Amino acid sequence: MRVPLSWLRELVAFDLTPEQLAERLTLLGMEVKGIDRRGTEWANVVVGELLAVEKHPRADRLSLTRVNTGAGEVLEIVCGATNIAVGQRVPVALPGAVLPGNRRIERTEKMGAVSNGMLCSGDELGLTADADGILILAPETPLGAKLADLYGDVVLDVDVKPNRGDALSIVGIAREVAAVAGGAVRLPPTDVVEGGRPAVERLSVAVEDAGLCPRFVGRWIEGVTVGPSPDWVQMRLLAAGIRPISNVVDASNYVMVELGKPIHTFDAGAVARDPRGRAGLQVRLARAGERMETLDHVERALDPETLLIADASGPLGIAGVMGGATSEVSDATRDVIVESAIFDPVSIRRTAFRYALRSEASLRFEKGQEFRLARLGADRATRLVAEWAGGTVAVGAVDTHAQEPAPRRIAFRPARVDRLLGTDLGIDAQREVLRRVGIETEVSSSVTDVAIAAGENPASVAASAGTAVIATVPTWRRDIEVEADLAEEVARVHGYELVPPRRPPTEMPAWRESPLAARDAIREALVGAGLTEAVTYALVSPRMLEAFRWTFEDRPAVGEAAAQGRPVAVTNPLSLDHSLLRQSIVGSLVEVVDTNARHAIVDVAIFEIGRGYGGEPDRSHEWWRLGLALTGAVEIPAWNQPRREVDLDDAKGAIELIARLLGASAPSYSPLTDEPILHPGRSATVEARLPNGDLAIAGVVGELHPRLAEAWELRARRVIVAELSVAGLTGGSLAVVRAAPLPRFQPNERDLTVDVPDSVPAAEVTQHVREAAGAHLQEATLVGTYRGHPLGPDERSLTFRLRFGAADRVLSDAEVDTAIGTISGALADDIGARIRS
C-alpha cells in the first residue's frame, strides 16, 4: 500500500524522518519496501504568473505568453492550452528542466517565435490526471517557488500482511504510527448536512442472504454536478496509486484509501424503480444465463455462485469486485446512490479469482471488514461527494443491520505472556503497551477469568492461580481472538528487538531419534546404488489416474489399509491435468522417464518416496509408497563389456537391498498375470518379512505393459517399475544392527545347478532347496541363470550357491554330499528338475 506522508500527517502527528518512520513500521511488522520521493523529477520547475496572453500571429491554436517567475526577467513562452488567462499562477518548466519520463525542456522556436520553457499541465507533471489544459495554481501560491517544495511528497510503500486488513488504509497506518510516536489519531469527519426527502422514500435494498452480505448501507444525493475533482484531491490519489476519474468516483476511492472501506457509487437514474417508485437495489446470487458488462467494458457470463448488486432489470455490479457499465456515474448523472456494504470475505475472494478481477476493492473485502465501517464509509463518502460535486443529501440512510456488535473481550494472563515472550514486563507495562494500539484493559482476579484465559474449567482452577486481565479489543482488530494473539501484540508493540534472547526454561532432551530415520536410510541406500530421487506432483489428470491405477487392493500392505477407494477430486483445480489426487506413484515416474526420453536421455534409474490418496464415502486417507522406474542401460558398452539393458533382476536387486537394510528376510516373489499395468509374463508380487513375522515390504514389480507404453506414446518402450509398501516410510527407525562373532569353524560351500521348466519360478526352487537341505544349510543364493543349448526352448538352468556349517564342528565332505543328494532327490521328485553334474 502506498502511504503519502502529507496525508498521514493530517491524521496523526509524528516527528520522525521518512527513514526513521520506515524503520519503526518495519519493526512493527509493517514492512516498508520502498520510499518514493515525489517531486525529485521536477528539476527546474517553478511557479510563474501570466502577465500577457496573446494569439500567435502564425498559428491559430497557439498563444504567446509572457511569464514572470520572480527572477527579474520576463520569459516569453509559446503555449497551446486554451484555459490560461492573465493573472493566473502556473507551473513553469525553465530551459534545462527535466520532467517525469526524462522529458527535457529546452529553448526552442515554434512557428517563428522563441519559447523559453514550457507551461505544464498536471498530467505532464504527474500531479493530476488533467491533460487538456495547464495546471492552474492557487492565487496565493508563492511566485518563483520551486514546485517540488510546494507539492512534493514522500510516499512509503508498505507491505501489509494478510491478517491486517485494517491497515490497508491511511487511518490504519496512522494507528500504527501513533503506537510508536505516542500521538492520538485524528479521524476524518463523517457528519453530513442533510435535507429534502428521507433516503428510505427514495431507495430500497433487499438482501437475499445475510451471510453473504451482513450489512448494506445506502445513501442518496440529488442534484450533483459531475466533473474533475479538486487538484489537491487528484494529487493525493495519484500519490496513493489511484487514477482520478471524476469528483463522485474519486470521493469513493478517497474513502477506500483513507478508511480502508471500498465504496461504490451508482447513477440513480439507471436503477430500476420498485412498485413504490423507489430505486430498488437487490443483493443476490447470479441466475443461470445472466451476463453483464463490467466497468472495464468486458461482457462477462456470470457464474451462479457470484454475488451481485442488481435491480429488477438485471445485474448492476459484481459485489465487492467491480461495478457495471449500465449504472456507471457519467457527466450526465444528477442523482447518486452511495453503496457501502460488508461482504463475506471468502465469497469475494473466490469471485475475484473466478473472473481474474483482483481490484483494490476486492483486496480489502477478502481480508474482512470492520462491521461499523459500512456506516462510517457511507457517511464519509457522502460528505465528500457533497463537498466536491454539490447536491443535497437525503435525510438518513437505508441500513439493513444498524445494530453494531460490541467489541470482543478476551481474558489473558500477564504472567503467561511474560513466560511466552521471555520478558519481565509485568501487568502495568503490558497494559500500557496494549493501550498504545487502542486495546483497553481491566485487571481481574476472578478465577473464572483466569480459567477462560487458560481454556480450562473454572472448577479445576485454584483460587491462587494468578491474575487475569480483560482486554477490550477494538472492532477493527479482527486478527486478535485469543490470549496468544495478545501476547504477540505485546511483543510487536513493545519491540521485537527489545525481547531478550533467553533459552526456554524447559530443558530440551539431549538426543531424540529421528522419526524419519528409515525413510532417509532408504533414500541414501538407493542413491548409493545409482538411482536418482524424483519428486513429482501429487495432483494428476483423470487420464493418468485411470491408466495407472493398481488392481491389487486385496493384496498385503505394510501398516496401512490396502484398499485405494475412490479418487479424491480437487474442488478448485488450476487445470484438468492437476485435478485429482494420485492413487499410484508409478504413473508420475513413468511421466518423468518419458520426459527424459524426449530430451534424448534414455538411461534413467529413478525412485520416489511419496504419497497416494484414496477415499471412502465417509472419509479420505493417504499412504506412503516407494516407487521405482528403470529404463535404458545399466552397464554401458566398453572394451571389456557389452551394453546391458535394464531387466527385472535390477529392480529385484534394489528391493533386496532395501530388505537387507530393514533387517528383513530375502524377498519372495510370486508370478503376477492379472495386473493391466504390467507385462503378464514379466511381473510379480513381492513380499519380505521382519524376524517377528511382520511385513517389511509388500508390493509389485515388473515391466510396463507394452500396450500401455504404446497408448501413452512412450519413447522408452521398455520400462521396469515397482511400487512398494515399506515398513518405516510413515515414520520409524531401522532395526538395531547387532554384531556377531565370526564362526569358529569354516563353512563349506557348494554350487548346485538344476535344469527346470520355465513355468517353475526360481523362488519355488529356492524354497524346495531350503526345505530339503536340513539344519546345516546356512544360506542358499541364486547366482546364475542360463538359457540355450543343450536345454530345451522352455527350460532354463539355475545355479545356487549353498553354504553349510555347524556351530560346534567342521562338517565333513560326506555330510555335505549327503545334504546335496537329499536336495537333488527332492527337486527331481517334487518339480521334475534335472541335476547337472
Side-chain angles (χ1 to χ4, degrees), residues 255-489:
V255 173
M256 179 180 67
V257 176
E258 184 180 56
L259 296 180
K261 181 71 194 77
I263 303 290
H264 190 70
T265 53
F266 296 91
D267 182 344
V271 180
R273 267 42 185 178
D274 65 10
R276 295 175 56 184
R278 301 174 299 179
L281 292 180
Q282 305 167 8
V283 185
R284 61 171 175 82
L285 293 174
R287 297 175 181 136
E290 281 191 310
R291 304 177 67 88
M292 71 167 291
E293 181 183 350
T294 47
L295 286 175
D296 56 359
H297 300 292
V298 175
E299 186 173 350
R300 303 178 188 276
L302 300 177
D303 186 275
E305 293 185 3
T306 302
L307 188 65
L308 299 177
I309 308 296
D311 62 9
S313 63
L316 298 176
I318 301 176
V321 179
M322 185 173 288
T326 59
S327 59
E328 180 180 6
V329 172
S330 66
D331 293 344
T333 299
R334 291 296 173 262
D335 298 340
V336 171
I337 298 172
V338 175
E339 168 233 307
S340 179
I342 304 295
F343 298 117
D344 175 60
V346 176
S347 172
I348 298 303
R349 179 171 178 80
R350 289 176 177 172
T351 299
F353 178 81
R354 186 181 302 120
Y355 297 105
L357 280 176
R358 296 296 298 279
S359 62
E360 289 287 336
S362 70
L363 178 67
R364 288 164 171 81
F365 274 122
E366 67 189 27
K367 290 176 173 56
Q369 294 265 286
E370 182 187 1
F371 198 79
R372 70 188 186 114
L373 270 183
R375 183 58 190 262
L376 291 176
D379 290 348
R380 176 64 173 163
T382 302
R383 176 190 175 103
L384 296 181
V385 171
E387 287 181 0
W388 301 343
T392 301
V393 179
V395 176
V398 176
D399 192 341
T400 62
H401 198 300
Q403 184 177 1
E404 297 176 355
R408 184 185 297 113
R409 289 169 60 85
I410 301 173
F412 72 96
R413 298 159 291 173
R416 171 67 172 164
V417 171
D418 274 337
R419 188 160 64 251
L420 285 173
L421 302 181
T423 56
D424 297 313
L425 294 176
I427 295 179
D428 294 338
Q430 290 182 31
R431 294 182 66 192
E432 172 59 23
V433 166
L434 293 175
R435 185 197 61 78
R436 287 158 55 187
V437 288
I439 301 176
E440 298 299 328
T441 57
E442 58 184 90
V443 179
S444 172
S445 57
S446 165
V447 172
T448 300
D449 291 335
V450 174
I452 291 173
E456 298 176 2
N457 188 329
S460 64
V461 178
S464 59
T467 302
V469 173
I470 307 301
T472 302
V473 181
T475 54
W476 61 81
R477 290 304 301 272
R478 295 166 51 89
D479 59 308
I480 299 178
E481 297 181 345
V482 295
E483 181 185 49
D485 295 331
L486 290 167
E488 182 181 7
E489 197 68 8

Side-chain angles (χ1 to χ4, degrees), residues 3 33 156 181 224 258 368 373 440 454 461 483 610 632 650 737 745 828:
V3 181
K33 301 172 68 175
L156 302 184
V224 302
E258 184 180 56
L373 270 183
E440 298 299 328
V461 178
E483 181 185 49
D650 294 298
V737 177
F745 304 102

Side-chain angles (χ1 to χ4, degrees), residues 724-743:
L724 309 169
S725 176
V726 182
L729 289 187
T730 56
S733 57
L734 294 174
V736 177
V737 177
R738 300 188 183 278
L742 293 174

Side-chain angles (χ1 to χ4, degrees), residues 351-680:
T351 299
F353 178 81
R354 186 181 302 120
Y355 297 105
L357 280 176
R358 296 296 298 279
S359 62
E360 289 287 336
S362 70
L363 178 67
R364 288 164 171 81
F365 274 122
E366 67 189 27
K367 290 176 173 56
Q369 294 265 286
E370 182 187 1
F371 198 79
R372 70 188 186 114
L373 270 183
R375 183 58 190 262
L376 291 176
D379 290 348
R380 176 64 173 163
T382 302
R383 176 190 175 103
L384 296 181
V385 171
E387 287 181 0
W388 301 343
T392 301
V393 179
V395 176
V398 176
D399 192 341
T400 62
H401 198 300
Q403 184 177 1
E404 297 176 355
R408 184 185 297 113
R409 289 169 60 85
I410 301 173
F412 72 96
R413 298 159 291 173
R416 171 67 172 164
V417 171
D418 274 337
R419 188 160 64 251
L420 285 173
L421 302 181
T423 56
D424 297 313
L425 294 176
I427 295 179
D428 294 338
Q430 290 182 31
R431 294 182 66 192
E432 172 59 23
V433 166
L434 293 175
R435 185 197 61 78
R436 287 158 55 187
V437 288
I439 301 176
E440 298 299 328
T441 57
E442 58 184 90
V443 179
S444 172
S445 57
S446 165
V447 172
T448 300
D449 291 335
V450 174
I452 291 173
E456 298 176 2
N457 188 329
S460 64
V461 178
S464 59
T467 302
V469 173
I470 307 301
T472 302
V473 181
T475 54
W476 61 81
R477 290 304 301 272
R478 295 166 51 89
D479 59 308
I480 299 178
E481 297 181 345
V482 295
E483 181 185 49
D485 295 331
L486 290 167
E488 182 181 7
E489 197 68 8
V490 169
R492 187 179 74 89
V493 180
H494 174 66
Y496 293 119
E497 73 281 7
L498 301 179
V499 175
R502 296 179 180 175
R503 294 179 60 189
T506 304
E507 288 294 329
M508 300 299 290
W511 177 83
R512 180 187 178 190
E513 187 175 20
S514 170
L516 305 180
R519 193 187 306 175
D520 293 339
I522 292 171
R523 281 194 175 105
E524 292 175 6
L526 291 175
V527 169
L531 281 77
T532 301
E533 184 172 10
V535 179
T536 60
Y537 292 114
L539 293 172
V540 298
S541 66
R543 178 170 176 256
M544 175 178 284
L545 185 138
E546 187 61 32
F548 291 94
R549 192 168 186 264
W550 297 110
T551 61
F552 60 92
E553 292 96 332
D554 57 338
R555 298 192 174 93
V558 177
E560 64 186 36
Q564 300 177 85
R566 58 177 176 80
V568 178
V570 178
T571 303
N572 218 1
L574 294 176
S575 70
L576 185 63
D577 289 339
H578 301 281
S579 59
L580 295 172
L581 287 169
R582 67 184 177 188
Q583 294 190 299
S584 165
I585 299 177
V586 163
S588 301
L589 294 180
V590 169
E591 192 172 46
V592 173
V593 169
D594 189 51
T595 300
N596 278 272
R598 293 177 188 275
H599 289 79
I601 302 174
V602 296
D603 301 331
V604 178
I606 57 175
F607 74 94
E608 179 178 9
I609 297 176
R611 283 178 286 188
Y613 305 84
E616 303 299 337
D618 56 340
R619 67 184 181 90
S620 298
H621 60 275
E622 64 182 22
W623 54 85
W624 283 90
R625 292 277 171 81
L626 167 64
L628 305 173
L630 314 172
T631 189
V634 290
E635 294 178 3
I636 60 175
W639 66 270
N640 61 343
Q641 66 179 19
R643 172 185 175 91
R644 186 176 73 80
E645 295 287 332
V646 67
D647 58 24
L648 193 57
D649 287 337
D650 294 298
K652 292 167 67 176
I655 297 170
E656 290 164 9
L657 172 66
I658 297 169
R660 288 197 298 271
L661 184 68
L662 299 175
S665 62
S668 59
Y669 302 92
S670 301
L672 181 62
T673 59
D674 58 348
E675 181 54 62
I677 297 178
L678 301 178
H679 192 297

